[in-house]
């Protein structure tokens, strides 16, 4: 009897233990992450706060967006994340830290509280952070200070065109930042440490690799081979967790540029071309693929590369070669495979010349919601832009010339569409980053998530799309028409004249 009783109690204990373990595991996955803040100078005024959680592996929708407003200066977000992620925070459409050079990270279970003392002077140096998980934010701030310290020390001997100098400069910064990171090892867990080690690489060597390309010659290639071990530098990026936590921004650029630099001699001719846009794309893809090898980031980087090329120049013969080769290689991740399939299917189904685009609603300067169908019967030129976009600003004089050319023609209309998150920012920059003569529209704070942007499937700016009188697509190359001189201006005018 006692034996049976003991066995029964043991079974109960085991069940309870398993139940407890499941609760602990589930709790880890489902832990809430809290991001809050206080802006003293915003007390008594209405402000908007946007939070973007970056999900880089979801190539087609790489962020989750939440927004709130405040009149007392306080804000708070409760997030559900299952792994470390990058985040961006915007106040009235302005990021509290600059993109790419500075970034913020969060982990499941964090409770981060930011204090932002001066809205006109943002950045890691000018915000404080406290609470659970603040160690990584404090490291990022110290990393920024270290960069400035070394830069100031090197300033007297600054030789931007000297490749040996640049290699020495960035290696010193990287070593200094890595030393600082080690001092935080008791405050930051290992998965996050791995991501921060990759952050040191990405924030420094993406810049170095690109400068090397811009200063390319055979003499430099010999110096690089002797002084820069690209494989060793890229090693911290070869981790799936790092892709989830740091896969956005310069991550892909660092890997691609590193891959090209491993092919120094054989890639020399291509590196003299405009390799980031529409030249030698198939050769470029082959070089990247062969240099990356069977790394954790292989499928992710190649899929991102194809996604970018499709969105910038469309599905031409060279890009189709990349798509076919990627799919024939049978990517390990079905996520990336299905992403590329969906990308191609969208172009074949929706973005062919002559396809009628569905109805989309946009907000005008008076707050009215206007359907694009209102303009059917005319040729419609859509100019997509955002505040701070330098190429958008450079395009304005040429757009103005085009509009002046059709000033008295009732059969064509020009619409400027801003993806700014903040309405006031948009209104204040009409005529600076867009033509003042175009009818101005806004994506109502949805930015890249607006249905029209998602449908047209582009992510470079400025982008110009031409729609015919019946609502059919006349141009499907979803990038600006490269209007930078009189010759290219006349070429674009020819497209419009043929459409009217």
């Amino acid at each position: 009897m006692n034996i049976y009783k003991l066995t029964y109690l043991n079974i109960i204990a085991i069940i309870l233990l398993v139940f407890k373990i499941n609760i602990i595991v589930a709790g880890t996955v489902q832990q809430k992450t809290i991001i809050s803040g206080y802006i003293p100078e915003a007390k008594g005024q209405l402000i908007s706060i946007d939070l973007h959680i970056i999900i880089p592996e979801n190539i087609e929708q790489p962020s989750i967006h939440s927004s709130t407003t405040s009149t007392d200066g306080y804000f708070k977000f409760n997030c559900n994340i299952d792994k470390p992620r990058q985040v961006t925070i915007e106040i009235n459409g302005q990021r509290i830290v600059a993109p790419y050079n500075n970034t913020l990270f969060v982990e499941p279970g964090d409770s981060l509280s930011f204090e932002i003392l001066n809205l006109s002077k943002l950045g890691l140096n000018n915000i404080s952070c406290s609470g659970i998980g603040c160690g990584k934010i404090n490291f990022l701030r110290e990393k920024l200070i270290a960069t400035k310290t070394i830069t100031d020390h090197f300033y007297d001997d600054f030789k931007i065109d000297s490749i040996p100098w640049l290699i020495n400069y960035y290696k010193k910064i990287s070593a200094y930042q890595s030393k600082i990171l080690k001092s935080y090892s008791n405050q930051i867990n290992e998965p996050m440490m791995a991501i921060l080690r990759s952050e040191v690489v990405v924030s420094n060597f993406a810049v170095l690799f690109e400068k090397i390309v811009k200063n390319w010659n055979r003499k430099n290639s010999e110096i690089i081979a002797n002084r820069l071990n690209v494989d060793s530098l890229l090693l911290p990026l070869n981790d799936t967790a790092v892709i989830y936590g740091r896969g956005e921004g310069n991550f892909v650029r660092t890997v691609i540029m590193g891959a090209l630099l491993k092919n120094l001699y054989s890639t020399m001719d291509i590196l003299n071309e405009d390799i980031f846009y529409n030249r030698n794309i198939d050769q470029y893809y082959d070089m990247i693929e062969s240099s990356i090898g069977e790394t954790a980031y292989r499928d992710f980087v190649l899929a991102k590369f194809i996604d970018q090329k499709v969105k910038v120049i469309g599905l031409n013969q060279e890009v189709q070669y990349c798509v076919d080769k990627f799919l024939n290689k049978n990517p390990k991740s079905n996520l990336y495979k299905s992403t590329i399939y969906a990308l191609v299917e969208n172009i074949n189904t929706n973005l062919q010349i002559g396809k009628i685009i569905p109805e989309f609603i946009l907000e005008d300067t008076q707050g009215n919601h206007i359907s694009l169908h209102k303009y059917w019967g005319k040729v419609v030129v859509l100019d997509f832009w955002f505040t701070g976009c330098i190429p958008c600003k450079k395009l304005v004089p040429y757009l103005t010339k085009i509009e002046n050319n059709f000033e008295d023609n009732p059969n064509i209309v020009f619409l400027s569409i801003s993806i700014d998150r903040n309405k006031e920012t948009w209104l204040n920059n009409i005529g600076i980053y867009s033509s003042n003569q175009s009818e101005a529209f806004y994506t109502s704070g949805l930015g890249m998530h607006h249905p029209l942007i998602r449908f047209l499937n582009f992510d470079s700016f400025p982008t110009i799309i031409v729609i015919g009188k019946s609502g059919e697509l006349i141009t499907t190359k979803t990038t600006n028409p490269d209007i930078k001189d009189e010759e290219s201006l006349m070429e674009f005018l020819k497209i419009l004249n043929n459409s009217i």
Side-chain angles (χ1 to χ4, degrees):
M1 184 72 173
N2 289 337
I3 293 174
Y4 285 119
K5 185 176 181 181
L6 182 61
T7 304
Y8 177 75
L9 290 173
N10 285 345
I11 291 171
I12 295 296
I14 291 168
I15 291 171
L16 288 172
L17 179 61
V18 171
F19 183 67
K20 183 177 180 181
I21 289 170
N22 284 336
I23 289 174
I24 291 170
V25 172
T28 301
V29 173
Q30 297 175 4
Q31 272 183 310
K32 281 196 179 296
T33 298
I34 299 171
I35 299 173
S36 61
Y38 177 50
I39 312 162
E41 71 173 276
K43 195 171 182 179
Q45 56 180 295
L46 179 65
I47 58 167
S48 63
I49 306 99
D50 294 274
L51 173 70
H52 302 271
I53 301 173
I54 311 301
I55 316 289
E57 70 274 18
N58 188 352
I59 292 174
E60 281 306 287
Q61 191 172 354
S63 70
I64 297 172
H65 172 235
S66 302
S67 62
T68 187
T69 57
S70 173
T71 54
D72 60 4
Y74 289 92
F75 65 88
K76 183 177 181 179
F77 294 97
N78 291 306
C79 320
N80 286 310
I81 58 173
D82 60 351
K83 51 179 66 72
R85 295 292 189 186
Q86 277 178 274
V87 298
T88 61
I89 302 172
E90 297 174 359
I91 299 170
N92 289 340
Q94 188 176 3
R95 293 189 181 192
I96 67 169
V97 298
Y100 301 118
N101 294 328
N102 307 312
T103 191
L104 297 174
F105 298 99
V106 297
E107 299 169 86
D110 276 358
S111 182
L112 299 172
S113 179
F114 294 93
E115 185 170 8
I116 303 158
L117 297 176
N118 190 341
L119 285 176
S120 62
K121 196 175 182 183
L122 298 173
L124 278 170
N125 280 343
N126 300 300
I127 61 175
S128 64
C129 180
S130 59
I132 300 170
C134 68
K136 54 186 167 288
I137 308 298
N138 292 332
F139 159 71
L140 292 169
R141 184 187 298 107
E142 199 169 339
K143 168 180 170 286
L144 186 65
I145 295 169
T147 303
K148 186 177 185 307
T149 300
I150 291 180
T151 302
D152 290 346
H153 177 73
F154 270 66
Y155 187 78
D156 291 339
D157 192 32
F158 194 66
K159 299 175 182 176
I160 192 66
D161 293 328
S162 167
I163 293 299
W165 186 94
L166 286 168
I167 292 173
N168 188 35
Y169 170 71
Y170 283 107
K171 285 172 79 172
K172 278 188 179 296
I173 288 180
S174 178
Y176 194 9
Q177 292 174 351
S178 297
K179 184 178 178 181
I180 294 169
L181 181 57
K182 283 183 181 178
S183 71
Y184 281 85
S185 59
N186 63 336
Q187 300 180 44
I188 303 171
N189 62 35
E190 182 48 39
M192 194 68 237
M193 286 291 282
I195 291 169
L196 292 175
R197 282 193 288 269
S198 75
E199 164 65 14
V200 170
V201 173
V202 168
S203 62
N204 291 309
F205 292 101
V207 177
L208 174 61
F209 292 166
E210 190 164 350
K211 286 184 184 296
I212 289 172
V213 169
K214 288 180 178 178
N215 291 275
W216 185 264
N217 58 51
R218 190 162 293 279
K219 179 183 176 182
N220 286 342
S221 72
E222 294 167 359
I223 293 169
I224 295 161
N226 292 329
R227 300 196 185 193
L228 206 59
N229 186 331
V230 175
D231 280 328
S232 176
L233 289 174
L234 294 180
L235 193 59
L237 278 57
N238 191 17
D239 185 328
T240 304
V242 169
I243 295 172
Y244 297 141
R246 187 58 181 95
E248 193 59 19
N250 276 335
F251 178 96
V252 173
R253 199 175 189 86
T254 305
V255 172
I256 287 177
M257 296 305 300
L260 288 176
L261 290 177
K262 288 164 64 177
N263 291 274
L264 293 174
Y265 294 101
S266 61
T267 61
M268 189 163 182
D269 290 338
I270 290 175
L271 289 176
N272 286 327
E273 302 291 344
D274 193 1
I275 61 174
F276 288 108
Y277 292 94
N278 60 351
R279 299 175 189 267
N280 301 303
I281 291 169
D282 49 354
Q283 297 174 34
Y284 186 30
Y285 179 92
D286 285 341
M287 285 185 294
I288 296 166
E289 183 188 44
S290 64
S291 294
I292 286 177
E294 295 301 318
T295 51
Y297 49 70
R298 176 189 177 278
D299 290 346
F300 171 69
V301 169
L302 292 175
K304 286 282 283 187
F305 171 81
I306 292 170
D307 178 71
Q308 180 203 29
K309 297 307 174 188
V310 168
K311 289 177 178 176
V312 170
I313 66 169
L315 197 61
N316 65 10
Q317 186 176 350
E318 291 180 0
V319 177
Q320 185 65 58
Y321 167 88
C322 302
V323 169
D324 293 341
K325 192 166 186 185
F326 179 78
L327 294 176
N328 289 337
K329 275 278 188 176
N330 194 23
K332 295 175 184 176
S333 170
N334 285 328
L335 173 63
Y336 304 131
K337 191 172 184 176
S338 61
T339 295
I340 299 304
Y341 270 127
L343 192 64
V344 173
E345 180 65 22
N346 180 56
I347 288 176
N348 290 334
T349 304
N350 298 317
L351 298 179
Q352 295 294 320
I353 290 176
K355 284 282 185 180
I356 305 297
I357 72 166
E359 182 176 26
F360 292 102
I361 305 297
L362 293 161
E363 183 179 339
D364 68 12
T365 54
Q366 304 302 312
N368 301 311
H369 291 84
I370 308 296
S371 169
L372 278 182
H373 282 191
K374 169 188 173 182
Y375 298 98
W376 279 196
K378 300 180 180 183
V379 171
V380 182
V381 181
L382 306 178
D383 168 35
F384 296 91
W385 62 279
F386 65 90
T387 297
C389 170
I390 301 304
C392 300
K393 191 174 185 178
K394 288 181 178 179
L395 191 63
V396 170
Y398 295 105
L399 277 178
T400 303
K401 284 185 180 181
I402 292 171
E403 289 173 314
N404 289 339
N405 192 79
F406 294 97
E407 188 176 11
D408 299 320
N409 193 324
N411 296 313
I412 188 169
V413 62
F414 294 83
L415 313 181
S416 79
I417 302 171
S418 169
I419 65 157
D420 285 337
R421 290 283 185 183
N422 182 263
K423 188 170 184 176
E424 188 176 346
T425 301
W426 161 56
L427 292 171
N428 288 339
N429 287 281
I430 294 171
I432 300 174
Y433 295 94
S434 68
S435 169
N436 204 32
Q437 297 173 203
S438 299
E439 293 188 37
F441 290 93
Y442 172 56
T443 50
S444 300
L446 294 175
M448 293 297 291
H449 297 287
H450 189 278
L452 177 59
I453 312 290
R454 299 296 304 278
F455 176 82
L456 293 172
N457 200 30
F458 64 87
D459 57 9
S460 63
F461 292 87
T463 284
I464 289 183
I465 302 290
V466 182
I467 301 171
K469 293 180 179 180
S470 301
E472 77 279 11
L473 285 167
I474 289 176
T475 63
T476 59
K477 182 183 175 183
T478 50
T479 184
N480 77 71
D482 199 23
I483 303 171
K484 57 187 178 184
D485 52 34
E486 291 302 318
E487 183 180 351
S488 55
L489 174 65
M490 294 307 297
E491 196 65 35
F492 188 61
L493 285 172
K494 195 183 299 181
I495 294 173
L496 296 182
N497 280 316
N498 291 339
S499 305
I500 297 173

